Amino acid sequence: MELNRITIMVRDLEKSIEFYTKIAKLELKANLRTPMGKIAFLSNSEEEVKLELIEFKGFEKAEVKGLVLNFHVEGSLEEFYSVVFNAGYEPSDIFEMPPKPKHFRVKDPDGILVEFYK
């Protein structure tokens, strides 16, 4: 069995697209408007990571505790930290807590915790 995609019911599709394309480095594959609302599909270039972001009026939105999305950073974690900070987000300190790799955390526009690790 294979996980097809993760779907997140977002509050503001454009802010979520901006976060996941500029910060998580996913590519926008489709941005659709439907009678119910807006849907975007994102993935990495290898199609290994797939997100479906949905903004439908009147539907419940993401409210999560205990969910963490993890992304591997190419290059320097410290330099990427600066990119995230300079983009206006509030990343945590960089942690080294073996056996977990060196990482930092930041919340996406819906409050989902996202870790970037090296």
Side-chain angles (χ1 to χ4, degrees):
M1 188 175 303
E2 176 181 306
L3 178 64
N4 186 27
R5 72 175 59 95
I6 296 171
T7 300
I8 304 172
M9 302 299 287
V10 300
R11 290 167 181 76
D12 185 320
L13 185 66
E14 285 71 29
K15 285 183 181 178
S16 294
I17 289 172
E18 181 177 344
F19 178 86
Y20 285 103
T21 57
K22 291 185 178 174
I23 303 302
K25 307 298 183 196
L26 297 180
E27 299 172 10
L28 181 62
K29 300 295 183 171
N31 194 355
L32 311 170
R33 303 293 184 256
T34 73
M36 295 179 67
K38 302 179 272 185
I39 304 171
F41 294 94
L42 300 97
S43 72
N44 66 346
S45 58
E46 295 82 23
E47 299 283 329
E48 298 162 332
V49 177
K50 298 177 195 173
L51 286 183
E52 176 184 32
L53 306 175
I54 298 176
E55 181 188 332
F56 287 173
K57 292 190 185 334
F59 280 64
E60 64 184 31
K61 307 301 181 207
E63 291 186 35
V64 296
K65 291 182 181 178
L67 174 68
V68 181
L69 302 179
N70 293 274
F71 291 89
H72 180 259
V73 173
E74 300 291 331
S76 165
L77 186 64
E78 290 75 13
E79 287 177 19
F80 185 69
Y81 179 96
S82 294
V83 169
V84 173
F85 181 81
N86 291 332
Y89 296 96
E90 298 177 14
S92 70
D93 292 335
I94 295 176
F95 298 105
E96 289 194 59
M97 302 179 334
K100 200 167 188 171
K102 188 173 172 181
H103 68 283
F104 68 89
R105 299 173 172 177
V106 66
K107 290 185 178 180
D108 83 349
D110 286 284
I112 295 172
L113 196 58
V114 180
E115 287 184 345
F116 294 96
Y117 70 93
K118 183 68 184 157

